[in-house]
């Protein structure tokens, strides 16, 4: 399940039980990533507040595409599966999402979407390589500075979350077995666990 011990749902109390109950109310189950945070449930609360504050004015599809690109560059199967699931549920068929994953220049993406996904990958790969030219290119596509800020912080926040899950061995949840097999395989990179 993970490299560290976790508190089972049946043995939880206090802040841990509150966190588990919240996840169960939202998702119908306690995801493996939440169990990783059982030792410091305030951290997951702070994470949620951070993400909410970053994306409160951001388009959902844009958030999910930036997250997918960042998670892919991070080789995070858990985050790829989770956010790929949202994209497939709300925006794309499995076939369309497979095309996007395999072809970052897919005609299914707008020029802005292609650019922000490449930008997210660049942030994850080497943020120090970003120059004024990269920012100006996004501006020339019509993005405002606050939108560029959102893209940057979505990608950098994903670094924290994905690396935390991977470093502690969080396995993707079994719910992702319900995804189309080809899509699931395309979303699975790096160390994926039992999915």
């Amino acid at each position: 399940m993970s490299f560290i011990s976790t508190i089972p749902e049946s043995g939880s109390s206090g802040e841990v039980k509150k966190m588990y109950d919240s996840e169960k109310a939202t998702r119908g189950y306690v995801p493996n990533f939440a169990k990783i945070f059982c030792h410091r449930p305030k951290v997951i609360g702070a994470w949620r507040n951070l993400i909410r504050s970053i994306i409160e004015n951001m388009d959902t599809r844009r958030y999910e595409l930036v997250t997918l690109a960042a998670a892919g560059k991070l080789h995070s199967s858990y985050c790829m599966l989770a956010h790929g699931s949202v994209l497939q549920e709300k925006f794309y068929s499995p076939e369309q999402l497979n095309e996007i994953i395999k072809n970052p220049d897919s005609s299914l993406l707008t020029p802005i979407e292609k650019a922000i996904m490449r930008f997210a990958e660049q942030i994850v790969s080497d943020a120090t390589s970003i120059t004024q030219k990269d920012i100006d290119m996004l501006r020339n596509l019509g993005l405002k500075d606050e939108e560029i800020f959102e893209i940057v912080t979505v990608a950098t926040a994903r670094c924290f979350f994905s690396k935390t899950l991977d470093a502690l061995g969080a396995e993707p949840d079994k719910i992702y077995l319900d995804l189309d097999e080809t899509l699931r395989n395309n979303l699975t990179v790096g160390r994926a666990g039992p999915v």
Side-chain angles (χ1 to χ4, degrees):
M1 175 79 55
S2 68
F3 300 150
I4 61 173
S5 63
T6 59
I7 298 170
E9 189 179 347
S10 61
S12 65
S13 63
E15 289 298 313
V16 175
K17 181 173 182 1
K18 184 177 174 184
M19 175 184 65
Y20 285 177
D21 288 348
S22 174
E23 290 295 337
K24 198 165 185 178
T26 301
R27 301 170 190 277
Y29 68 100
V30 178
N32 292 334
F33 76 80
K35 294 174 187 171
I36 291 291
F37 285 91
C38 71
H39 299 288
R40 297 290 183 264
K42 287 183 180 178
V43 175
I44 194 73
W47 160 257
R48 291 201 188 290
N49 288 335
L50 173 65
I51 291 299
R52 272 193 295 270
S53 68
I54 292 170
I55 67 171
E56 66 185 352
N57 297 307
M58 192 175 191
D59 174 77
T60 302
R61 186 165 100 167
R62 180 177 288 180
Y63 166 70
E64 294 297 340
L65 287 170
V66 170
T67 300
L68 186 74
K73 205 57 156 172
L74 288 161
H75 306 289
S76 173
S77 291
Y78 200 138
C79 292
M80 287 280 290
L81 287 161
H83 292 276
S85 293
V86 174
L87 284 164
Q88 189 254 303
E89 180 184 317
K90 294 184 176 184
F91 302 105
Y92 300 106
S93 70
E95 295 76 22
Q96 290 172 320
L97 192 51
N98 279 323
E99 181 182 332
I100 289 167
I101 294 165
K102 290 186 167 209
N103 178 15
D105 288 319
S106 169
S107 62
L108 295 167
L109 298 168
T110 68
I112 288 176
E113 289 170 338
K114 293 174 193 178
I116 63 174
M117 290 177 76
R118 282 192 298 270
F119 187 58
E121 290 175 346
Q122 183 181 1
I123 292 165
V124 170
S125 292
D126 182 7
T128 64
S129 72
I130 293 169
T131 66
Q132 187 67 54
K133 183 178 176 181
D134 298 304
I135 302 301
D136 291 343
M137 184 270 300
L138 294 174
R139 285 181 179 148
N140 290 338
L141 287 170
L143 290 173
K144 298 175 183 157
D145 283 357
E146 56 266 29
E147 293 172 304
I148 296 168
F149 178 85
E150 289 165 350
I151 293 160
V152 169
T153 53
V154 165
T156 56
R158 182 59 38 194
C159 291
F160 160 76
F161 200 74
S162 292
K163 288 181 177 285
T164 299
L165 299 187
D166 286 341
L168 296 175
E171 295 176 351
D173 303 308
K174 294 190 185 313
I175 196 168
Y176 302 125
L177 290 172
D178 294 339
L179 286 170
D180 169 80
E181 184 178 2
T182 303
L183 178 58
R184 189 175 68 241
N185 289 337
N186 285 331
L187 292 168
T188 304
V189 294
R191 182 179 63 236
V195 173

